[in-house]
Amino acid sequence: MSEALKKGRALVANMNPGLETALAERYDAAVPDMAETLVEWAYGRHYAREGVDLKTRQLCTIAALTALGGHTAPQLKVNIDHTLAAGASEREILEIIWQMSVYGGMPAAINGLNAAMDRFQELKR
Amino acid sequence: MSEALKKGRALVANMNPGLETALAERYDAAVPDMAETLVEWAYGRHYAREGVDLKTRQLCTIAALTALGGHTAPQLKVNIDHTLAAGASEREILEIIWQMSVYGGMPAAINGLNAAMDRFQELKR
Amino acid sequence: MSEALKKGRALVANMNPGLETALAERYDAAVPDMAETLVEWAYGRHYAREGVDLKTRQLCTIAALTALGGHTAPQLKVNIDHTLAAGASEREILEIIWQMSVYGGMPAAINGLNAAMDRFQELKR
Amino acid sequence: MSEALKKGRALVANMNPGLETALAERYDAAVPDMAETLVEWAYGRHYAREGVDLKTRQLCTIAALTALGGHTAPQLKVNIDHTLAAGASEREILEIIWQMSVYGGMPAAINGLNAAMDRFQELKR
Amino acid sequence: MSEALKKGRALVANMNPGLETALAERYDAAVPDMAETLVEWAYGRHYAREGVDLKTRQLCTIAALTALGGHTAPQLKVNIDHTLAAGASEREILEIIWQMSVYGGMPAAINGLNAAMDRFQELKR
Amino acid sequence: MSEALKKGRALVANMNPGLETALAERYDAAVPDMAETLVEWAYGRHYAREGVDLKTRQLCTIAALTALGGHTAPQLKVNIDHTLAAGASEREILEIIWQMSVYGGMPAAINGLNAAMDRFQELKR
């Protein structure tokens, strides 16, 4: 196992313990090694890096996914869970999404708010 | 003067005191009220909001501008100055830009690193 | 109340009288002042400007939302209502959407046509 | 009939014989000549060109639609059918979609994999 | 010659008489028929359509090119010439570009203003 | 060294032997491990996968970079070198770029043609 994969798995174990297994069940028969590649790359090679704390990294991901436009809603929802797990509040997440109206335009921000408000509701059920 | 414009001007006075005048000189003859509108909207209606500190807001802007792609390099450079003024380090800015390779793709991240490294050099001259 | 908010509200009162209230009910508890900010910015600071008539401004919005891609379908539908209210015909809206295949590509144009045709049907029910 | 339209129709006759009629029924009343224009442009002026074989052209279309983001899912599904008809395997299509995580980012690639896996299931029913 | 190519050439003859020759000299050796294809598609199959006047079509193109982001600056400049030729004023063009800050975000609008102001200067030399 | 990094390095050794060193010299002081991460991820985890030959993978990258818009010109140029090294002809590259006018719009395709024609010239000097 690569060092990066090890670090990625350690991080995911805290933030979203079922993630790699869920990805493997959904994708690995179609795309061999997809789950392990994603954990190594995104978590081992990025989120596990030093220099910025996890909560700030996650809020920056919320910003980027919002600015990219409403088609990233599924990934925005997963990352909302991770951002809450990293210690952010609902309010912080909504503030960052709304700020994106300056950079990604109003449609991107409104689609982001809708995805977040839906996810917060789902988590309360 | 609207409340939002007042708040925006107060914020910009700390972060980049010449901004509104520079915008007005460049754009207001062509697009009346452009400078005041931008300060009211971006700074008064967004950065001056409560709920997230300025440094985190600025790092989220770095994330979004990077993920949107290399054509936002001029705005990325202005916001690098603002992010440094808000207390972030060069390292924090570079870490967030590099993380964007996961969400905006490798070209967006590399173009972002290039813009940031250029700006850091310019600021040292 | 800022001058821009006043102008924005006057404009929205003609084009879509329930808009600010609907936005406030949906978003303001989560994102304080969202509705008022949107009306001030989009309608007071842009659509209420001189220099271009409202119908042309709205058709340009249709163009932009289409070119940005199918994830703006919810905003495209709201703006189709506003564009009809500003005096454009269904045909004019469809022509502009189809023209966007040159600039945003065929998928963007086809997704735009689908959103518009769906909205025209909904308005006939 | 233009030379390009003739070539486009010949190509579509092999790959997706009902395409032009389906497009005409859906769109031509709203947007006169839409179906014929699309066949002339996309198939007559592009896919029918010499220099690259049809299977490679189709895989490149899969790449582009994926990288553009998840809002092109309807067009990705149509082009998956065309790519299979041009002789590509499911595996080749999935490999190209997954590769797009490098260029369009992880959300674009995952949305593309989901669209492809859904379409492969639909085709097996 | 197809009907669409004939219509496209007639339109371009008024708006930008040297366009097809310039495109052919630049691109046709590398990409056979590029110039003729572009004139047939963009001008014959879109701008020559009925239902919307040329000036409005051109302003909608300005809107779309701006919203897509600053990497379309070369095409924005060509279309500024065409939009002026279709009877629009500099002011109308700038108003539409600035409006795009609502839909494409502030960086897209500012990059668009810069491209337009540069082009207006070039045309005055 | 991870298995993926080993595979990535083997692939890059054939296609562009100086790549990792050049990346390390440019970026690693600012962003530790950037070069190794890129080689592991892009080449070890993607291009080295089975299921699609290298030439087709490279042409698909050309397609994606073109469709994403002209701000990826630096990455398009690097990948043009890699695509030529993988056995593609200039003509094949230009054909795929031009085809992207259907999916990414005309500005994306023309910016792509310009980048490719510039690069072909540079390689002949």
Side-chain angles (χ1 to χ4, degrees):
Chain A
M1 201 194 315
S2 73
E3 200 55 36
L5 182 54
K6 210 178 299 176
K7 283 187 194 170
R9 280 181 175 158
L11 191 67
V12 169
N14 281 320
M15 200 151 65
N16 183 346
L19 183 69
E20 189 174 349
T21 306
L23 287 171
E25 281 171 7
R26 169 87 176 126
Y27 297 107
D28 275 16
V31 184
D33 299 328
M34 186 276 198
E36 154 183 324
T37 301
L38 188 150
V39 171
E40 181 187 74
W41 162 243
Y43 296 96
R45 287 296 198 177
H46 288 279
Y47 288 96
R49 288 175 66 92
E50 295 179 7
V52 178
D53 64 281
L54 194 60
K55 180 180 153 183
T56 303
R57 285 194 185 274
Q58 278 293 153
L59 286 169
C60 287
T61 294
I62 298 296
L65 290 171
T66 302
L68 287 168
H71 47 101
T72 65
Q75 290 77 38
L76 187 54
K77 289 185 176 184
V78 171
N79 276 285
I80 281 171
D81 293 7
H82 295 183
T83 307
L84 294 168
S89 67
E90 291 191 5
R91 177 69 192 276
E92 287 173 306
I93 291 170
L94 291 164
E95 284 293 325
I96 292 305
I97 292 175
W98 179 229
Q99 180 183 325
M100 290 305 110
S101 55
V102 182
Y103 300 103
M106 198 54 92
I110 292 178
N111 288 333
L113 291 180
N114 288 339
M117 290 164 73
D118 286 359
R119 185 62 192 150
F120 296 154
Q121 283 302 314
E122 287 164 23
L123 292 171
K124 265 150 207 155
R125 266 170 221 155
Chain B
M1 202 196 313
S2 73
E3 199 56 36
L5 181 54
K6 209 177 301 175
K7 283 187 194 171
R9 281 181 175 159
L11 191 67
V12 169
N14 282 319
M15 201 151 65
N16 184 346
L19 181 68
E20 190 174 348
T21 306
L23 288 171
E25 280 171 8
R26 168 87 176 126
Y27 297 108
D28 276 15
V31 184
D33 298 329
M34 186 277 197
E36 153 183 325
T37 301
L38 187 150
V39 171
E40 180 187 74
W41 162 242
Y43 297 96
R45 286 298 198 174
H46 289 280
Y47 287 96
R49 288 174 67 91
E50 295 179 6
V52 178
D53 64 281
L54 195 60
K55 179 181 154 184
T56 304
R57 285 195 185 274
Q58 278 294 153
L59 286 169
C60 287
T61 294
I62 298 295
L65 289 171
T66 302
L68 286 168
H71 48 100
T72 65
Q75 290 76 38
L76 187 54
K77 288 184 176 184
V78 171
N79 276 284
I80 280 170
D81 293 8
H82 295 184
T83 307
L84 293 168
S89 66
E90 291 191 5
R91 177 70 190 278
E92 287 173 305
I93 291 169
L94 291 165
E95 284 293 323
I96 292 305
I97 291 175
W98 178 229
Q99 180 181 326
M100 290 306 111
S101 55
V102 182
Y103 300 103
M106 199 54 93
I110 291 178
N111 287 333
L113 291 180
N114 288 338
M117 290 165 73
D118 285 359
R119 185 64 192 148
F120 295 154
Q121 282 303 313
E122 287 164 22
L123 292 172
K124 265 150 208 155
R125 265 170 223 155
Chain C
M1 198 194 318
S2 74
E3 199 56 34
L5 182 54
K6 209 177 301 173
K7 281 189 196 169
R9 280 179 176 162
L11 192 66
V12 169
N14 281 318
M15 201 152 64
N16 184 345
L19 182 69
E20 189 174 349
T21 306
L23 288 170
E25 281 171 7
R26 169 87 177 126
Y27 297 107
D28 275 15
V31 185
D33 299 329
M34 186 275 197
E36 156 184 323
T37 301
L38 187 150
V39 171
E40 181 186 74
W41 162 243
Y43 296 96
R45 286 296 197 176
H46 288 280
Y47 287 97
R49 288 175 67 90
E50 293 179 8
V52 177
D53 64 281
L54 194 60
K55 180 181 153 183
T56 303
R57 284 195 185 274
Q58 278 293 153
L59 286 169
C60 287
T61 294
I62 298 295
L65 290 171
T66 302
L68 287 168
H71 48 101
T72 65
Q75 291 77 36
L76 188 54
K77 288 184 177 184
V78 171
N79 276 285
I80 281 171
D81 293 8
H82 295 184
T83 308
L84 294 169
S89 66
E90 291 191 3
R91 177 70 190 278
E92 287 173 307
I93 292 169
L94 291 164
E95 285 293 324
I96 292 305
I97 292 174
W98 179 229
Q99 180 182 325
M100 291 304 110
S101 54
V102 182
Y103 300 103
M106 199 55 94
I110 291 178
N111 287 334
L113 291 180
N114 288 339
M117 290 164 73
D118 286 0
R119 185 62 191 150
F120 295 154
Q121 282 303 313
E122 286 165 24
L123 292 171
K124 265 150 207 156
R125 265 171 220 153
Chain D
M1 200 194 315
S2 73
E3 199 57 34
L5 182 53
K6 209 177 300 175
K7 281 189 196 170
R9 281 180 175 160
L11 192 67
V12 169
N14 281 319
M15 201 152 63
N16 185 344
L19 182 68
E20 189 174 349
T21 306
L23 288 170
E25 280 171 7
R26 169 87 175 125
Y27 297 107
D28 275 15
V31 184
D33 298 329
M34 187 275 198
E36 158 184 321
T37 301
L38 187 150
V39 171
E40 181 186 74
W41 162 243
Y43 297 96
R45 286 298 198 174
H46 288 279
Y47 288 96
R49 288 175 67 91
E50 294 180 6
V52 178
D53 64 281
L54 194 61
K55 180 180 154 183
T56 303
R57 285 195 185 273
Q58 278 293 153
L59 286 169
C60 287
T61 295
I62 297 296
L65 290 171
T66 302
L68 286 167
H71 47 101
T72 64
Q75 291 76 37
L76 187 54
K77 289 184 177 185
V78 171
N79 276 284
I80 280 171
D81 293 9
H82 294 184
T83 307
L84 294 169
S89 66
E90 291 191 4
R91 177 70 191 277
E92 287 173 307
I93 291 170
L94 291 164
E95 285 292 324
I96 292 305
I97 291 175
W98 178 230
Q99 180 182 326
M100 290 305 110
S101 55
V102 182
Y103 300 102
M106 199 54 95
I110 292 178
N111 288 333
L113 290 180
N114 288 339
M117 289 165 74
D118 286 0
R119 185 61 192 150
F120 296 154
Q121 282 302 314
E122 286 165 23
L123 292 172
K124 265 151 206 153
R125 266 171 221 154
Chain E
M1 202 195 312
S2 74
E3 199 57 35
L5 181 54
K6 210 178 300 176
K7 282 189 197 172
R9 281 180 174 161
L11 192 66
V12 169
N14 281 320
M15 201 151 65
N16 185 346
L19 181 68
E20 188 173 350
T21 305
L23 288 171
E25 281 171 7
R26 168 89 176 124
Y27 298 107
D28 276 16
V31 184
D33 298 329
M34 186 276 197
E36 154 183 325
T37 301
L38 187 150
V39 171
E40 180 187 75
W41 163 244
Y43 297 95
R45 287 298 199 175
H46 288 279
Y47 288 95
R49 287 175 67 91
E50 295 179 6
V52 178
D53 64 281
L54 194 61
K55 180 181 154 184
T56 304
R57 286 195 184 273
Q58 279 294 154
L59 287 168
C60 287
T61 294
I62 298 296
L65 289 171
T66 302
L68 287 168
H71 48 100
T72 65
Q75 291 76 38
L76 187 54
K77 289 184 176 185
V78 171
N79 276 284
I80 280 170
D81 293 7
H82 294 185
T83 307
L84 293 168
S89 66
E90 291 191 4
R91 177 70 191 278
E92 287 172 306
I93 291 169
L94 291 164
E95 284 293 323
I96 292 305
I97 291 174
W98 179 230
Q99 181 182 324
M100 289 307 109
S101 55
V102 182
Y103 300 104
M106 199 55 93
I110 291 178
N111 288 333
L113 291 180
N114 288 339
M117 290 165 72
D118 286 358
R119 186 63 192 149
F120 295 154
Q121 283 302 315
E122 287 165 22
L123 292 172
K124 264 151 208 156
R125 266 170 221 155
Chain F
M1 199 195 317
S2 74
E3 199 56 35
L5 182 54
K6 208 177 302 174
K7 281 188 196 170
R9 281 180 174 161
L11 192 66
V12 169
N14 281 318
M15 202 152 63
N16 184 346
L19 181 68
E20 189 174 349
T21 306
L23 288 170
E25 281 171 7
R26 169 89 176 125
Y27 297 107
D28 276 16
V31 184
D33 298 329
M34 186 276 197
E36 154 183 325
T37 301
L38 188 150
V39 171
E40 180 187 74
W41 162 243
Y43 296 96
R45 286 299 198 174
H46 288 279
Y47 287 96
R49 287 175 67 90
E50 294 180 7
V52 178
D53 64 281
L54 194 60
K55 180 181 153 183
T56 303
R57 285 195 184 274
Q58 279 293 154
L59 286 169
C60 287
T61 294
I62 298 295
L65 290 171
T66 303
L68 287 168
H71 47 101
T72 65
Q75 291 76 37
L76 188 54
K77 288 184 177 183
V78 171
N79 276 285
I80 280 171
D81 293 7
H82 294 184
T83 307
L84 293 169
S89 66
E90 291 191 4
R91 177 69 190 276
E92 287 172 307
I93 291 170
L94 291 164
E95 284 293 322
I96 292 305
I97 291 174
W98 179 229
Q99 180 181 324
M100 289 306 110
S101 55
V102 182
Y103 300 103
M106 198 56 91
I110 291 178
N111 287 333
L113 290 180
N114 288 339
M117 289 165 72
D118 286 359
R119 185 63 191 148
F120 296 153
Q121 282 302 314
E122 287 164 23
L123 292 173
K124 264 152 208 154
R125 265 170 222 155

